[in-house]
């Protein structure tokens, strides 16, 4: 019986493990990937101050710290079911059943598809898969590709692929259908991008820094609507072109791309084919919360947080006694926020174990402040309404627990 | 129009899901039972967000707080032998 079982060895899970080990808790961290670090392993981008954020280095720092504290981390283990027991939780995995008094679910986020005709052909992948192949496995995803879907994440990853020497034709939107609407409408995509324009001239990924100087909003609006698109690091980003079809017999051979109106309607006669051998689809991220759903944790649908999120409070506790959450499962934010949330969750779990209260309470307050500060100082927000989403979750927790 | 596959495991396409939603004005559970979308090997892991988006678009209603298509264990593929196990190791 562990004091705490942590599912997910990303920035949230590892930080939580460190905090819990510092309070001498009996901790086990499991992760279904073959090595720890989570999505940190794929991240590589330049910060506004010019420094590089290297996720592999960041994960090494966390891992070394965890190892110094003799933390038990096991990879290649997938949890498929969780049950509440009298003393805590039974977690069913591909390696057997694990028992713990407290459980932290730090499973991060998953990608939504943006289904267009031909998206099931070999050679089509999610943008996150391309990131893992490029930066984690160091496998070249193809000779020449195209990114379908323009958002903060896909722009950052397109840049990473470019740095790795992979040839990308351009980025464009998916053709609109009822499953892709929010990603296929130039106006909606534009609006989402404009919400990060106030961060110009230099955002974390230098998104459009060249053309957002001065009145960033207007400049971006004007620049993004021309049919020629805008170039970033030499690669065109098109908001007025949509990929209507991915073509190929046994694998991707080309895509069909069309000009579109500001509402995303296809302009007849504008179609042409572009030869590519891979396609990256970017449909955005959502909190990966299946395990919290299976165990019966209540949920809230909060768009600002990325979708359905397990109800939790600022200390990362859920209404289910002993069940905690941290990282992207609580809302889509940066790895830095996830890391800070993990520390807070680890401390909250130590508190539940009845550790030295005055000192611990002090640390918890500091960790809470730290999460807030990091969130406020974030240069890139996946959703600009994140603070609003967070306070709605606080209210929901209060209503459910104290109702 | 070109066929757009939504549920890859069960090969259910967008048109069938939209038509079923329109014809039966139904819940996501009913969509699943009528079309098998989300019932395949992956347990709906791949198509769930797309199904939710389609429901939202066709019904014109924002998603409820309760997850529209109930998440059922096992949430990862696992052998029957493992499921039947009672002891650790």
């Amino acid at each position: 019986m562990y004091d705490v079982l942590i599912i997910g060895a990303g920035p949230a899970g590892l930080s939580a493990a460190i905090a819990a080990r510092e309070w001498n808790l009996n901790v086990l961290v499991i992760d279904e990937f073959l090595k720890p670090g989570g999505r940190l392993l794929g991240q590589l981008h330049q910060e506004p101050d010019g420094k590089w954020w290297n996720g592999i280095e960041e994960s090494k720092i966390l891992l070394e710290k965890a190892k110094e504290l003799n933390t038990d981390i096991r990879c290649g283990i997938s949890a498929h079911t969780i049950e509440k027991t009298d003393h805590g939780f039974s977690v069913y995995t591909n390696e057997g059943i694990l028992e713990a008094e407290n459980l932290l679910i730090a499973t991060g986020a998953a990608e939504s598809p943006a289904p267009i005709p031909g998206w099931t052909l070999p050679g089509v992948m999610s943008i996150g898969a391309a990131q893992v192949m490029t930066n984690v496995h160091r496998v070249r995803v193809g000779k020449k590709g195209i990114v379908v879907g323009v958002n903060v994440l896909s722009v950052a990853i397109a840049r990473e692929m470019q740095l790795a020497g992979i040839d990308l034709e351009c980025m464009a939107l998916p053709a609109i259908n009822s499953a892709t609407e929010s990603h296929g409408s130039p106006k909606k995509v534009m609006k989402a991008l404009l919400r990060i324009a106030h961060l110009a001239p230099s955002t974390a990924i230098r998104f459009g820094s060249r053309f957002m100087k001065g009145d960033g909003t207007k400049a971006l609006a004007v620049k993004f609507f021309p049919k020629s698109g805008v170039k970033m690091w030499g690669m065109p980003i098109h908001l007025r072109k949509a990929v209507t079809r991915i073509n190929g017999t046994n694998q991707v051979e080309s895509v069909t791309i069309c000009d579109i109106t500001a509402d995303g309607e296809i302009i007849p006669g504008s179609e042409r084919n572009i030869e590519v051998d891979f396609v990256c689809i970017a449909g955005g991220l959502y909190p990966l919360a299946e395990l919290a759903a299976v165990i019966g944790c209540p949920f809230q649908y909060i768009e600002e947080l990325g979708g359905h999120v397990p109800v939790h409070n600022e200390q990362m506790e859920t209404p289910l006694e002993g069940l905690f959450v941290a990282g992207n499962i609580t809302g889509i934010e940066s790895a830095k926020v996830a890391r800070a949330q993990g520390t807070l969750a680890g401390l909250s779990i130590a508190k539940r174990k009845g550790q030295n209260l005055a000192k611990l309470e002090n640390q918890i307050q500091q960790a809470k402040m730290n999460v807030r500060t990091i969130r406020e100082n974030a240069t890139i927000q996946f959703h600009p309404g994140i603070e609003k989403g967070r306070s709605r979750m606080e209210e929901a927790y209060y209503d459910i627990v104290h109702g | 129009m070109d066929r757009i596959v939504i549920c890859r495991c069960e090969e259910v396409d967008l048109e069938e899901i939209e038509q079923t939603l329109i014809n039966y004005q139904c819940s996501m559970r009913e969509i699943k039972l009528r079309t098998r979308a989300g019932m395949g090997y992956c347990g709906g892991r791949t198509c769930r967000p797309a199904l939710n988006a389609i429901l939202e678009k066709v019904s014109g209603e924002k998603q409820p707080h309760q997850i529209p298509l109930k998440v059922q264990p096992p949430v990862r593929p696992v052998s029957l032998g493992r499921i039947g196990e009672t002891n650790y190791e």
Side-chain angles (χ1 to χ4, degrees), chain A residues 271-284:
Chain A
E271 69 178 41
R272 69 186 177 98
N273 281 1
I274 300 173
E275 272 186 36
V276 289
D277 67 346
F278 72 94
V279 176
C280 302
I281 291 191

Side-chain angles (χ1 to χ4, degrees), chain A residues 116-131:
Chain A
I116 55 173
W119 79 293
T120 51
L121 277 170
V124 183
M125 65 197 83
S126 73
I127 189 80
Q131 184 187 41

Side-chain angles (χ1 to χ4, degrees), chain A residues 23-38:
Chain A
W23 282 91
N24 221 15
L25 266 59
N26 183 9
V27 178
L28 174 64
V29 185
I30 62 169
D31 195 289
E32 68 181 355
F33 197 55
L34 49 99
K35 52 182 165 182

Side-chain angles (χ1 to χ4, degrees), chain A residues 32 74 80-81 94-95 97-98 112-113 115 117 119-120 177-178 181 245 286 290-291 294 299-301 308, chain B residues 2 4-5 8 14 18 45-46 49 53-54 57 63-68 73-76 78 82 86 88:
Chain A
E32 68 181 355
R74 296 183 209 167
H80 60 81
T81 310
N94 56 332
E95 297 285 327
I97 302 162
L98 302 165
S112 297
W119 79 293
T120 51
N177 58 51
S178 60
E181 174 153 295
R245 207 167 59 224
Y286 70 93
E290 306 149 304
L291 288 171
V294 160
F299 274 71
Q300 285 282 299
Y301 180 75
H308 286 96
Chain B
D2 295 315
I4 303 172
V5 173
R8 302 174 67 139
L14 179 61
E18 283 178 340
R45 260 205 291 168
T46 310
I54 298 163
K57 177 67 186 166
Q63 290 185 41
H65 288 309
Q66 199 182 350
I67 296 177
V75 300
R76 289 292 178 277
V78 61
R82 274 293 179 200
T86 47
Y88 181 44

Side-chain angles (χ1 to χ4, degrees), chain B residues 42-77:
Chain B
C42 85
R45 260 205 291 168
T46 310
C47 65
R48 178 188 296 278
L51 291 173
N52 288 346
I54 298 163
L55 179 65
E56 203 173 324
K57 177 67 186 166
V58 175
S59 70
E61 281 167 33
K62 213 179 138 185
Q63 290 185 41
H65 288 309
Q66 199 182 350
I67 296 177
L69 193 60
K70 196 182 170 202
V71 182
Q72 303 278 13
V75 300
R76 289 292 178 277

Side-chain angles (χ1 to χ4, degrees), chain A residues 209-220:
Chain A
S209 60
R210 280 185 300 114
F211 48 83
M212 288 200 288
K213 283 179 186 133
D215 189 344
T217 306
K218 267 187 201 159
L220 188 68

Side-chain angles (χ1 to χ4, degrees), chain A residues 173 182 184-194 225 239-240 260-264:
Chain A
L173 304 185
S182 55
S185 151
K187 277 185 182 164
K188 284 186 183 167
V189 172
M190 185 72 198
K191 213 173 143 194
L193 294 176
L194 283 178
F225 272 91
L239 294 195
R240 291 292 296 276
I260 50 173
T261 66
D263 292 314

